Coordinates of all heavy atoms in Angstrom, one line a residue:
M21 N -6.7 -37.3 -12.4 CA -7.2 -36.6 -11.2 C -7.0 -35.1 -11.4 O -6.0 -34.7 -11.9 CB -6.5 -37.1 -10.0 CG -7.3 -36.8 -8.7 SD -6.5 -37.4 -7.2 CE -5.8 -35.9 -6.6
T22 N -8.0 -34.4 -11.1 CA -8.0 -32.9 -11.2 C -7.5 -32.3 -9.9 O -7.9 -32.7 -8.8 CB -9.3 -32.3 -11.6 OG1 -9.8 -33.0 -12.7 CG2 -9.2 -30.9 -11.9
A23 N -6.7 -31.3 -10.0 CA -6.2 -30.6 -8.8 C -7.3 -29.9 -8.0 O -8.2 -29.4 -8.6 CB -5.1 -29.6 -9.2
D24 N -7.3 -30.0 -6.7 CA -8.3 -29.3 -5.9 C -7.8 -27.9 -5.7 O -6.9 -27.5 -5.0 CB -8.3 -30.0 -4.5 CG -9.3 -29.3 -3.6 OD1 -10.1 -28.4 -4.1 OD2 -9.2 -29.5 -2.4
L25 N -8.5 -27.0 -6.4 CA -8.2 -25.6 -6.4 C -9.3 -24.8 -5.7 O -9.4 -23.6 -5.9 CB -7.9 -25.0 -7.8 CG -6.6 -25.5 -8.4 CD1 -6.5 -25.0 -9.8 CD2 -5.4 -25.1 -7.6
T26 N -10.1 -25.4 -4.9 CA -11.1 -24.7 -4.1 C -10.4 -23.9 -3.0 O -9.6 -24.5 -2.3 CB -12.2 -25.6 -3.6 OG1 -11.5 -26.6 -2.8 CG2 -13.0 -26.3 -4.6
P27 N -10.8 -22.7 -2.7 CA -10.2 -21.9 -1.6 C -10.4 -22.7 -0.3 O -11.5 -23.3 -0.1 CB -11.0 -20.6 -1.6 CG -11.5 -20.5 -3.0 CD -11.8 -21.9 -3.5
A28 N -9.4 -22.6 0.5 CA -9.6 -23.3 1.8 C -10.7 -22.6 2.7 O -10.8 -21.4 2.7 CB -8.2 -23.2 2.6
Q29 N -11.5 -23.4 3.4 CA -12.5 -22.9 4.2 C -11.9 -22.1 5.3 O -11.0 -22.5 6.0 CB -13.3 -24.0 4.8 CG -14.3 -24.7 3.8 CD -15.4 -23.8 3.3 OE1 -15.9 -23.0 4.1 NE2 -15.8 -23.8 2.1
G30 N -12.5 -20.9 5.5 CA -12.0 -20.0 6.6 C -10.6 -19.6 6.5 O -9.9 -19.3 7.5
A31 N -10.0 -19.7 5.3 CA -8.6 -19.5 5.1 C -8.1 -18.1 5.6 O -7.0 -17.9 6.0 CB -8.2 -19.7 3.7
T32 N -9.0 -17.1 5.5 CA -8.6 -15.8 5.9 C -8.2 -15.6 7.3 O -7.4 -14.8 7.7 CB -9.7 -14.7 5.5 OG1 -10.9 -15.2 6.1 CG2 -9.8 -14.5 4.1
T33 N -8.7 -16.5 8.2 CA -8.4 -16.4 9.6 C -7.5 -17.5 10.1 O -7.1 -17.5 11.2 CB -9.7 -16.4 10.5 OG1 -10.4 -17.6 10.1 CG2 -10.6 -15.2 10.2
E34 N -7.2 -18.4 9.2 CA -6.5 -19.6 9.5 C -5.0 -19.3 9.7 O -4.4 -18.5 8.9 CB -6.6 -20.6 8.4 CG -6.3 -22.0 8.8 CD -6.7 -22.9 7.6 OE1 -7.9 -23.2 7.5 OE2 -5.9 -23.3 6.8
H35 N -4.3 -19.9 10.6 CA -2.9 -19.8 10.7 C -2.2 -20.6 9.6 O -2.5 -21.8 9.5 CB -2.4 -20.3 12.1 CG -1.0 -19.8 12.5 ND1 -0.7 -18.5 12.8 CD2 0.1 -20.5 12.6 CE1 0.5 -18.4 13.1 NE2 1.1 -19.6 12.9
G36 N -1.4 -20.0 8.8 CA -0.9 -20.6 7.6 C 0.2 -21.7 7.9 O 0.6 -21.8 9.1
H37 N 0.5 -22.4 7.0 CA 1.5 -23.5 7.1 C 2.9 -22.9 7.3 O 3.2 -21.9 6.7 CB 1.5 -24.3 5.8 CG 2.3 -25.6 5.9 ND1 1.7 -26.8 6.1 CD2 3.6 -25.8 5.8 CE1 2.7 -27.7 6.2 NE2 3.8 -27.1 6.0
H38 N 3.6 -23.5 8.2 CA 5.0 -23.1 8.4 C 5.9 -23.9 7.5 O 6.0 -25.1 7.7 CB 5.4 -23.2 9.9 CG 4.8 -22.2 10.8 ND1 4.8 -22.3 12.1 CD2 4.3 -21.0 10.5 CE1 4.2 -21.2 12.7 NE2 3.9 -20.4 11.7
V39 N 6.6 -23.2 6.6 CA 7.5 -23.9 5.7 C 8.8 -24.3 6.4 O 9.4 -23.5 7.1 CB 7.8 -23.0 4.5 CG1 8.8 -23.8 3.5 CG2 6.6 -22.6 3.8
P40 N 9.2 -25.6 6.4 CA 10.4 -26.0 7.1 C 11.6 -25.5 6.3 O 11.6 -25.1 5.1 CB 10.3 -27.5 7.0 CG 9.5 -27.8 5.8 CD 8.5 -26.7 5.7
H41 N 12.8 -25.6 6.9 CA 14.0 -25.3 6.2 C 14.2 -26.3 5.1 O 13.8 -27.5 5.2 CB 15.2 -25.4 7.2 CG 15.4 -24.3 8.0 ND1 15.8 -23.0 7.6 CD2 15.1 -24.1 9.4 CE1 15.8 -22.2 8.6 NE2 15.4 -22.8 9.7
P42 N 14.6 -25.9 3.9 CA 14.7 -26.8 2.8 C 15.7 -27.9 3.0 O 16.7 -27.7 3.7 CB 15.1 -25.9 1.6 CG 15.6 -24.6 2.2 CD 15.0 -24.5 3.6
V43 N 15.4 -29.0 2.4 CA 16.3 -30.2 2.5 C 17.6 -29.8 1.6 O 17.5 -28.9 0.8 CB 15.7 -31.5 2.0 CG1 14.5 -31.8 2.9 CG2 15.2 -31.4 0.5
N44 N 18.7 -30.5 1.8 CA 19.9 -30.2 1.1 C 19.8 -30.2 -0.4 O 20.4 -29.4 -1.1 CB 21.0 -31.2 1.6 CG 21.6 -30.8 2.9 OD1 21.5 -29.7 3.3 ND2 22.1 -31.8 3.7
N45 N 19.1 -31.2 -0.9 CA 19.0 -31.3 -2.4 C 17.7 -30.8 -2.9 O 17.2 -31.3 -3.9 CB 19.2 -32.8 -2.8 CG 18.2 -33.7 -2.2 OD1 17.5 -33.3 -1.2 ND2 18.0 -34.9 -2.7
A46 N 17.1 -29.8 -2.2 CA 15.8 -29.2 -2.7 C 15.9 -28.7 -4.1 O 16.9 -28.1 -4.5 CB 15.4 -28.1 -1.7
D47 N 14.8 -28.8 -4.8 CA 14.7 -28.3 -6.2 C 14.8 -26.7 -6.1 O 14.2 -26.1 -5.2 CB 13.4 -28.6 -6.8 CG 13.2 -30.1 -7.1 OD1 14.2 -30.8 -6.9 OD2 12.1 -30.5 -7.5
K48 N 15.6 -26.1 -7.0 CA 15.7 -24.7 -7.0 C 14.7 -24.1 -8.0 O 14.8 -24.4 -9.2 CB 17.1 -24.3 -7.4 CG 18.2 -24.6 -6.4 CD 18.2 -23.6 -5.3 CE 19.3 -23.9 -4.3 NZ 19.0 -25.0 -3.4
I49 N 13.7 -23.4 -7.5 CA 12.7 -22.8 -8.4 C 13.2 -21.5 -9.0 O 13.9 -20.8 -8.4 CB 11.4 -22.5 -7.5 CG1 10.9 -23.8 -6.9 CG2 10.4 -21.8 -8.3 CD1 9.9 -23.5 -5.8
R50 N 12.9 -21.3 -10.3 CA 13.2 -20.1 -10.9 C 12.1 -19.1 -10.6 O 10.9 -19.3 -10.8 CB 13.2 -20.2 -12.5 CG 14.3 -21.1 -13.0 CD 15.7 -20.4 -13.0 NE 15.8 -19.1 -13.7 CZ 16.1 -19.0 -15.0 NH1 16.4 -20.1 -15.7 NH2 16.2 -17.8 -15.5
W51 N 12.5 -17.9 -9.9 CA 11.5 -16.9 -9.5 C 11.7 -15.7 -10.4 O 12.8 -15.2 -10.6 CB 11.8 -16.5 -8.0 CG 11.6 -17.7 -7.1 CD1 12.5 -18.4 -6.5 CD2 10.3 -18.2 -6.7 NE1 11.9 -19.4 -5.7 CE2 10.6 -19.3 -5.8 CE3 9.0 -17.8 -6.9 CZ2 9.5 -20.0 -5.2 CZ3 8.0 -18.5 -6.3 CH2 8.3 -19.6 -5.4
W52 N 10.5 -15.2 -10.9 CA 10.5 -14.1 -11.9 C 9.7 -13.0 -11.2 O 8.9 -13.2 -10.3 CB 9.8 -14.6 -13.1 CG 10.4 -15.8 -13.8 CD1 10.1 -17.1 -13.5 CD2 11.5 -15.8 -14.7 NE1 10.9 -17.9 -14.3 CE2 11.8 -17.1 -15.0 CE3 12.2 -14.8 -15.3 CZ2 12.8 -17.5 -15.9 CZ3 13.2 -15.1 -16.2 CH2 13.5 -16.5 -16.5
P53 N 9.9 -11.8 -11.7 CA 9.2 -10.6 -11.2 C 7.7 -10.9 -11.3 O 7.2 -11.4 -12.3 CB 9.6 -9.5 -12.1 CG 11.0 -9.8 -12.6 CD 10.9 -11.3 -12.7
A54 N 6.9 -10.5 -10.3 CA 5.5 -10.8 -10.3 C 4.7 -10.0 -11.3 O 5.1 -8.8 -11.5 CB 4.9 -10.6 -8.9
Q55 N 3.7 -10.6 -11.9 CA 2.9 -9.9 -12.8 C 1.4 -10.3 -12.4 O 1.0 -11.3 -12.7 CB 3.1 -10.3 -14.3 CG 4.5 -9.9 -14.8 CD 4.6 -10.2 -16.3 OE1 4.3 -11.3 -16.7 NE2 4.9 -9.2 -17.0
R56 N 0.8 -9.3 -11.8 CA -0.6 -9.6 -11.3 C -1.6 -9.7 -12.4 O -1.5 -8.9 -13.4 CB -1.0 -8.6 -10.3 CG -0.3 -8.7 -9.0 CD -0.8 -7.8 -7.9 NE -0.1 -7.9 -6.7 CZ -0.3 -8.9 -5.8 NH1 -1.3 -9.7 -5.9 NH2 0.4 -8.9 -4.7
E57 N -2.5 -10.7 -12.3 CA -3.5 -10.9 -13.3 C -4.8 -10.2 -12.8 O -5.0 -10.0 -11.6 CB -3.8 -12.4 -13.5 CG -2.7 -13.2 -13.8 CD -2.2 -13.2 -15.2 OE1 -3.1 -12.8 -16.0 OE2 -1.1 -13.6 -15.5
Q58 N -5.6 -9.7 -13.8 CA -6.9 -9.1 -13.4 C -7.8 -10.1 -12.7 O -8.5 -9.7 -11.7 CB -7.6 -8.6 -14.6 CG -6.9 -7.3 -15.2 CD -7.8 -6.5 -16.1 OE1 -8.7 -7.1 -16.7 NE2 -7.6 -5.2 -16.1
R59 N -7.8 -11.3 -13.1 CA -8.7 -12.3 -12.5 C -7.8 -13.4 -12.0 O -7.6 -14.5 -12.6 CB -9.6 -12.9 -13.6 CG -10.5 -11.9 -14.2 CD -11.4 -12.5 -15.2 NE -12.7 -11.8 -15.2 CZ -13.8 -12.4 -15.6 NH1 -13.8 -13.6 -16.1 NH2 -14.9 -11.7 -15.5
E60 N -7.3 -13.2 -10.8 CA -6.6 -14.2 -10.1 C -7.2 -14.5 -8.7 O -7.8 -13.6 -8.2 CB -5.1 -13.8 -10.0 CG -4.9 -12.6 -9.2 CD -3.5 -12.2 -8.9 OE1 -2.6 -12.4 -9.8 OE2 -3.2 -11.8 -7.8
R61 N -6.9 -15.7 -8.2 CA -7.4 -16.0 -6.9 C -6.3 -16.6 -6.1 O -5.6 -17.5 -6.6 CB -8.6 -17.0 -7.0 CG -9.8 -16.5 -7.7 CD -10.8 -17.7 -7.8 NE -10.3 -18.7 -8.6 CZ -10.5 -20.0 -8.4 NH1 -11.2 -20.4 -7.4 NH2 -10.0 -21.0 -9.2
E62 N -6.1 -16.1 -4.9 CA -5.1 -16.7 -4.0 C -5.7 -17.8 -3.3 O -6.7 -17.6 -2.6 CB -4.5 -15.6 -3.1 CG -3.8 -14.5 -3.9 CD -3.0 -13.5 -3.0 OE1 -3.4 -13.4 -1.8 OE2 -2.1 -12.8 -3.5
L63 N -5.3 -19.0 -3.4 CA -5.9 -20.2 -2.9 C -5.4 -20.7 -1.6 O -6.1 -21.3 -0.8 CB -5.9 -21.3 -3.9 CG -6.5 -20.9 -5.3 CD1 -6.3 -22.1 -6.2 CD2 -8.0 -20.6 -5.1
R64 N -4.1 -20.6 -1.5 CA -3.4 -21.2 -0.3 C -2.2 -20.2 0.0 O -1.6 -19.7 -0.9 CB -2.8 -22.6 -0.6 CG -3.7 -23.6 -1.1 CD -4.4 -24.3 0.0 NE -5.2 -25.5 -0.5 CZ -6.4 -25.4 -1.1 NH1 -7.0 -24.2 -1.2 NH2 -7.0 -26.4 -1.5
W65 N -1.9 -20.1 1.3 CA -0.7 -19.3 1.6 C -0.1 -19.9 2.9 O -0.7 -20.5 3.7 CB -1.1 -17.8 1.8 CG -2.3 -17.6 2.6 CD1 -2.4 -17.3 3.9 CD2 -3.6 -17.5 2.0 NE1 -3.7 -17.1 4.3 CE2 -4.5 -17.3 3.2 CE3 -4.2 -17.7 0.8 CZ2 -5.8 -17.2 3.0 CZ3 -5.6 -17.6 0.7 CH2 -6.4 -17.3 1.8
T66 N 1.2 -19.5 3.0 CA 1.9 -20.0 4.2 C 1.9 -18.9 5.2 O 1.5 -17.7 4.9 CB 3.4 -20.3 3.8 OG1 4.0 -19.1 3.3 CG2 3.4 -21.4 2.8
C67 N 2.3 -19.2 6.4 CA 2.2 -18.2 7.5 C 3.0 -17.0 7.4 O 4.2 -17.0 7.0 CB 2.6 -18.9 8.9 SG 2.1 -17.9 10.3
S68 N 2.3 -15.8 7.6 CA 3.0 -14.5 7.4 C 3.9 -14.2 8.6 O 4.6 -13.1 8.6 CB 1.9 -13.5 7.3 OG 1.1 -13.4 8.5
C69 N 4.1 -15.1 9.6 CA 5.1 -14.8 10.6 C 6.5 -15.1 10.1 O 7.5 -14.7 10.8 CB 4.7 -15.5 11.9 SG 5.1 -17.3 11.9
R70 N 6.6 -15.8 9.0 CA 7.9 -16.1 8.5 C 8.4 -15.0 7.5 O 7.5 -14.3 6.9 CB 7.9 -17.4 7.7 CG 7.6 -18.6 8.7 CD 8.7 -18.8 9.7 NE 8.4 -19.8 10.7 CZ 8.6 -21.1 10.5 NH1 9.1 -21.6 9.4 NH2 8.3 -21.9 11.5
S71 N 9.7 -14.9 7.3 CA 10.2 -13.8 6.4 C 9.9 -14.0 5.0 O 9.8 -13.1 4.2 CB 11.7 -13.6 6.6 OG 12.4 -14.8 6.3
V72 N 9.7 -15.3 4.6 CA 9.3 -15.6 3.2 C 7.9 -16.2 3.3 O 7.6 -17.1 4.1 CB 10.2 -16.7 2.6 CG1 9.8 -17.0 1.2 CG2 11.7 -16.1 2.5
V73 N 7.0 -15.7 2.5 CA 5.6 -16.2 2.4 C 5.3 -16.6 1.0 O 5.6 -15.9 0.0 CB 4.6 -15.1 2.9 CG1 3.1 -15.6 2.7 CG2 4.8 -14.7 4.3
Y74 N 4.7 -17.8 0.9 CA 4.4 -18.4 -0.4 C 2.9 -18.3 -0.6 O 2.1 -18.6 0.4 CB 4.9 -19.8 -0.6 CG 6.4 -19.9 -0.5 CD1 7.0 -20.3 0.7 CD2 7.1 -19.8 -1.7 CE1 8.4 -20.4 0.7 CE2 8.5 -19.9 -1.6 CZ 9.1 -20.3 -0.4 OH 10.5 -20.4 -0.4
V75 N 2.4 -18.1 -1.8 CA 0.9 -18.1 -2.1 C 0.7 -18.9 -3.3 O 1.4 -18.7 -4.3 CB 0.4 -16.7 -2.2 CG1 -1.1 -16.7 -2.5 CG2 0.7 -15.8 -1.0
L76 N -0.3 -19.8 -3.3 CA -0.7 -20.5 -4.5 C -1.8 -19.7 -5.1 O -2.8 -19.4 -4.5 CB -1.2 -21.9 -4.1 CG -1.8 -22.8 -5.2 CD1 -0.8 -23.1 -6.3 CD2 -2.4 -24.1 -4.6
V77 N -1.6 -19.4 -6.4 CA -2.5 -18.5 -7.1 C -3.0 -19.2 -8.4 O -2.3 -19.9 -9.0 CB -1.8 -17.2 -7.5 CG1 -2.8 -16.1 -8.1 CG2 -1.0 -16.6 -6.4
A78 N -4.3 -19.0 -8.7 CA -4.9 -19.5 -9.9 C -5.5 -18.4 -10.7 O -6.0 -17.4 -10.2 CB -5.9 -20.6 -9.6
G79 N -5.5 -18.6 -12.0 CA -6.1 -17.6 -12.9 C -5.9 -18.0 -14.4 O -4.9 -18.6 -14.7
G80 N -6.9 -17.6 -15.2 CA -6.7 -17.9 -16.6 C -6.5 -19.3 -17.0 O -5.8 -19.6 -17.9
G81 N -7.0 -20.3 -16.2 CA -6.9 -21.7 -16.5 C -5.6 -22.3 -16.0 O -5.4 -23.5 -16.1
G82 N -4.7 -21.5 -15.5 CA -3.4 -22.0 -15.0 C -3.3 -21.7 -13.5 O -4.2 -21.1 -12.9
A83 N -2.1 -22.0 -13.0 CA -1.8 -21.7 -11.6 C -0.3 -21.4 -11.5 O 0.5 -21.8 -12.3 CB -2.3 -22.8 -10.7
W84 N 0.1 -20.8 -10.4 CA 1.5 -20.5 -10.1 C 1.7 -20.2 -8.7 O 0.7 -20.2 -7.9 CB 2.0 -19.4 -11.0 CG 1.3 -18.1 -10.8 CD1 1.7 -17.0 -10.0 CD2 0.0 -17.6 -11.3 NE1 0.8 -16.0 -10.0 CE2 -0.3 -16.3 -10.8 CE3 -0.9 -18.2 -12.2 CZ2 -1.4 -15.6 -11.2 CZ3 -2.1 -17.5 -12.5 CH2 -2.3 -16.2 -12.0
I85 N 2.9 -20.1 -8.3 CA 3.3 -19.8 -6.9 C 3.9 -18.4 -6.8 O 4.7 -18.1 -7.7 CB 4.3 -20.8 -6.3 CG1 4.0 -22.2 -6.7 CG2 4.5 -20.6 -4.8 CD1 2.9 -22.9 -5.9
R86 N 3.4 -17.6 -5.9 CA 3.9 -16.3 -5.7 C 4.7 -16.3 -4.4 O 4.4 -17.0 -3.4 CB 2.8 -15.3 -5.6 CG 3.2 -13.8 -5.4 CD 2.0 -12.9 -5.6 NE 1.6 -12.9 -7.0 CZ 0.4 -12.6 -7.4 NH1 -0.6 -12.4 -6.6 NH2 0.1 -12.6 -8.7
R87 N 5.8 -15.5 -4.4 CA 6.7 -15.5 -3.2 C 6.9 -14.1 -2.7 O 7.3 -13.3 -3.5 CB 8.0 -16.2 -3.6 CG 9.1 -16.3 -2.6 CD 10.4 -16.8 -3.2 NE 11.4 -17.2 -2.3 CZ 12.4 -16.4 -1.8 NH1 12.4 -15.1 -2.3 NH2 13.3 -16.8 -1.0
F88 N 6.7 -13.9 -1.5 CA 6.9 -12.6 -0.9 C 8.1 -12.7 0.0 O 8.2 -13.5 0.9 CB 5.7 -12.1 -0.1 CG 4.5 -11.9 -0.9 CD1 3.5 -12.9 -1.0 CD2 4.2 -10.7 -1.5 CE1 2.4 -12.7 -1.7 CE2 3.1 -10.5 -2.2 CZ 2.1 -11.5 -2.3
H89 N 9.1 -11.8 -0.2 CA 10.3 -11.8 0.7 C 10.7 -10.3 0.9 O 11.1 -9.7 -0.1 CB 11.4 -12.6 0.1 CG 12.6 -12.6 1.1 ND1 13.9 -12.7 0.6 CD2 12.7 -12.6 2.4 CE1 14.7 -12.7 1.6 NE2 14.0 -12.7 2.7
S90 N 10.5 -9.8 2.1 CA 10.6 -8.3 2.4 C 9.8 -7.6 1.3 O 8.7 -7.8 1.1 CB 12.0 -7.9 2.6 OG 12.9 -8.2 1.5
S91 N 10.5 -6.7 0.6 CA 9.7 -5.9 -0.4 C 9.7 -6.5 -1.8 O 9.1 -5.9 -2.7 CB 10.3 -4.5 -0.5 OG 11.6 -4.6 -1.0
E92 N 10.3 -7.7 -1.9 CA 10.4 -8.3 -3.2 C 9.2 -9.3 -3.4 O 9.0 -10.2 -2.6 CB 11.7 -9.0 -3.3 CG 12.0 -9.6 -4.7 CD 13.3 -10.4 -4.7 OE1 13.4 -11.4 -3.9 OE2 14.2 -10.0 -5.4
T93 N 8.5 -9.2 -4.5 CA 7.5 -10.2 -4.9 C 7.9 -10.8 -6.2 O 8.1 -10.2 -7.2 CB 6.1 -9.5 -5.0 OG1 5.9 -8.8 -3.8 CG2 5.0 -10.5 -5.3
T94 N 8.0 -12.2 -6.2 CA 8.3 -12.9 -7.4 C 7.4 -14.1 -7.6 O 6.6 -14.4 -6.7 CB 9.8 -13.5 -7.3 OG1 9.9 -14.2 -6.0 CG2 10.8 -12.3 -7.3
E95 N 7.4 -14.7 -8.7 CA 6.5 -15.8 -9.1 C 7.2 -16.8 -9.9 O 8.2 -16.5 -10.6 CB 5.3 -15.2 -9.9 CG 4.5 -14.3 -9.2 CD 3.4 -13.7 -10.1 OE1 3.6 -13.6 -11.3 OE2 2.4 -13.2 -9.6
T96 N 6.6 -18.0 -9.9 CA 7.0 -19.0 -10.8 C 6.3 -18.7 -12.2 O 5.5 -17.8 -12.3 CB 6.5 -20.4 -10.4 OG1 5.1 -20.4 -10.4 CG2 7.0 -20.8 -9.0
V97 N 6.7 -19.4 -13.2 CA 6.0 -19.4 -14.5 C 4.5 -19.9 -14.2 O 4.3 -20.6 -13.3 CB 6.7 -20.2 -15.6 CG1 8.0 -19.6 -15.9 CG2 6.8 -21.6 -15.2
R98 N 3.6 -19.5 -15.1 CA 2.3 -20.1 -15.1 C 2.4 -21.6 -15.5 O 3.2 -21.9 -16.4 CB 1.4 -19.4 -16.1 CG 0.7 -18.2 -15.5 CD 1.6 -17.2 -15.0 NE 0.9 -15.9 -14.6 CZ 1.4 -15.0 -13.8 NH1 2.6 -15.2 -13.2 NH2 0.7 -13.9 -13.5
M99 N 1.6 -22.4 -14.9 CA 1.7 -23.8 -15.2 C 0.3 -24.5 -15.1 O -0.6 -23.8 -14.6 CB 2.7 -24.5 -14.3 CG 2.4 -24.4 -12.8 SD 3.8 -25.1 -11.8 CE 4.8 -23.6 -11.7
H100 N 0.2 -25.7 -15.4 CA -1.0 -26.5 -15.3 C -1.3 -26.5 -13.8 O -0.4 -26.7 -13.0 CB -0.8 -27.9 -15.9 CG -2.1 -28.7 -15.9 ND1 -2.7 -29.3 -14.8 CD2 -3.0 -28.9 -16.9 CE1 -3.8 -29.9 -15.2 NE2 -4.0 -29.7 -16.5
P101 N -2.6 -26.4 -13.4 CA -3.0 -26.5 -12.0 C -2.4 -27.7 -11.2 O -2.0 -27.6 -10.1 CB -4.5 -26.5 -12.0 CG -4.9 -25.7 -13.2 CD -3.8 -26.1 -14.2
D102 N -2.4 -28.8 -11.9 CA -1.9 -30.0 -11.3 C -0.4 -29.9 -10.9 O 0.1 -30.3 -9.9 CB -2.0 -31.3 -12.2 CG -3.5 -31.7 -12.3 OD1 -4.3 -31.3 -11.5 OD2 -3.8 -32.5 -13.2
A103 N 0.3 -29.2 -11.8 CA 1.8 -29.0 -11.6 C 2.0 -28.0 -10.5 O 2.9 -28.2 -9.7 CB 2.4 -28.6 -12.9
A104 N 1.1 -27.0 -10.4 CA 1.3 -26.0 -9.4 C 1.0 -26.6 -8.0 O 1.7 -26.3 -7.1 CB 0.3 -24.8 -9.7
V105 N 0.0 -27.4 -7.9 CA -0.4 -28.1 -6.7 C 0.7 -29.0 -6.2 O 1.1 -29.1 -5.0 CB -1.7 -28.8 -6.8 CG1 -2.0 -29.7 -5.6 CG2 -2.9 -27.8 -6.9
A106 N 1.3 -29.7 -7.2 CA 2.5 -30.6 -6.9 C 3.7 -29.8 -6.4 O 4.3 -30.2 -5.4 CB 2.8 -31.4 -8.1
L107 N 3.9 -28.6 -7.0 CA 5.0 -27.8 -6.6 C 4.7 -27.2 -5.2 O 5.6 -27.1 -4.3 CB 5.3 -26.7 -7.6 CG 6.4 -25.7 -7.3 CD1 7.7 -26.5 -7.1 CD2 6.6 -24.7 -8.4
W108 N 3.5 -26.8 -5.0 CA 3.1 -26.3 -3.7 C 3.4 -27.3 -2.6 O 3.9 -26.9 -1.5 CB 1.6 -25.9 -3.7 CG 1.0 -25.4 -2.5 CD1 0.2 -26.0 -1.6 CD2 1.3 -24.1 -1.9 NE1 -0.1 -25.1 -0.5 CE2 0.5 -24.0 -0.7 CE3 2.0 -23.0 -2.4 CZ2 0.5 -22.8 0.1 CZ3 2.0 -21.8 -1.6 CH2 1.3 -21.7 -0.4
A109 N 3.0 -28.5 -2.8 CA 3.3 -29.6 -1.8 C 4.8 -29.7 -1.6 O 5.2 -29.9 -0.4 CB 2.7 -30.9 -2.3
K110 N 5.6 -29.6 -2.6 CA 7.1 -29.7 -2.4 C 7.6 -28.5 -1.6 O 8.5 -28.7 -0.7 CB 7.8 -29.7 -3.8 CG 7.6 -31.0 -4.6 CD 8.5 -31.1 -5.8 CE 9.7 -31.9 -5.5 NZ 10.5 -32.2 -6.7
I111 N 7.1 -27.3 -1.8 CA 7.5 -26.2 -1.1 C 7.1 -26.4 0.4 O 8.0 -26.2 1.3 CB 6.8 -24.9 -1.6 CG1 7.5 -24.5 -3.0 CG2 7.0 -23.7 -0.6 CD1 6.7 -23.4 -3.7
L112 N 5.9 -26.9 0.7 CA 5.5 -27.1 2.1 C 6.3 -28.1 2.8 O 6.4 -28.1 4.0 CB 4.0 -27.4 2.1 CG 3.0 -26.4 1.7 CD1 1.6 -26.8 2.1 CD2 3.3 -25.0 2.1
A113 N 6.9 -29.0 2.0 CA 7.7 -30.1 2.5 C 9.2 -29.7 2.6 O 10.0 -30.5 3.0 CB 7.5 -31.4 1.7
G114 N 9.5 -28.5 2.1 CA 10.9 -28.1 2.1 C 11.7 -28.8 1.0 O 12.9 -28.8 1.0
E115 N 11.0 -29.3 0.0 CA 11.7 -30.0 -1.1 C 11.9 -29.2 -2.4 O 12.4 -29.6 -3.4 CB 10.9 -31.3 -1.5 CG 10.9 -32.3 -0.4 CD 9.9 -33.4 -0.6 OE1 9.2 -33.4 -1.6 OE2 9.8 -34.3 0.3
A116 N 11.4 -27.9 -2.3 CA 11.6 -27.0 -3.4 C 11.7 -25.6 -2.7 O 11.0 -25.3 -1.8 CB 10.5 -27.0 -4.4
V117 N 12.5 -24.8 -3.3 CA 12.8 -23.5 -2.7 C 13.1 -22.4 -3.7 O 13.6 -22.7 -4.8 CB 13.9 -23.5 -1.6 CG1 15.2 -23.8 -2.2 CG2 13.9 -22.3 -0.8
Ligands
ZN215 ZN1 3.3 -18.5 12.0

């Protein structure tokens, strides 16, 4: 199965997902300094009313998660889109942080 990486309809005006507090044994993601790509697309994002905002980004045949926390912007490593979508689901479930 191929990951669905189509941008969410009306996503620019949509209230984003609220990430729950992580579970006790949540996976610890390695966050690296962000490196923006020339051709990247932000596909999904969590609600900006929270202090930490996550964005699912695709570009160059891969995908990754970007994390905004106050003035700090970090990212996961680039990965296969299927892996990025799976990680995105874990973040939204509070199972990865
Ligand atoms: Zn909100």
Side-chain angles (χ1 to χ4, degrees):
M21 201 179 101
T22 308
D24 175 18
L25 289 178
T26 55
Q29 286 291 324
T32 50
T33 55
E34 199 172 280
H35 196 69
H37 191 98
H38 285 164
V39 178
H41 283 288
V43 298
N44 282 334
N45 58 346
D47 292 352
K48 293 281 184 286
I49 299 167
R50 293 287 301 270
W51 297 102
W52 303 91
Q55 294 189 305
R56 290 187 181 275
E57 307 279 344
Q58 287 198 329
R59 299 179 145 203
E60 60 171 42
R61 293 176 300 143
E62 297 188 340
L63 302 177
R64 306 272 189 278
W65 45 91
T66 62
C67 189
S68 58
C69 76
R70 296 293 172 86
S71 61
V72 178
V73 176
Y74 297 95
V75 181
L76 174 61
V77 190
W84 61 96
I85 314 285
R86 183 170 289 151
R87 180 185 191 269
F88 296 93
H89 184 213
S90 54
S91 63
E92 188 184 59
T93 305
T94 52
E95 295 175 337
T96 65
V97 293
R98 272 56 173 162
M99 59 187 86
H100 189 281
D102 289 347
V105 168
L107 180 58
W108 180 251
K110 289 189 98 174
I111 289 171
L112 296 194
E115 295 169 358
V117 66

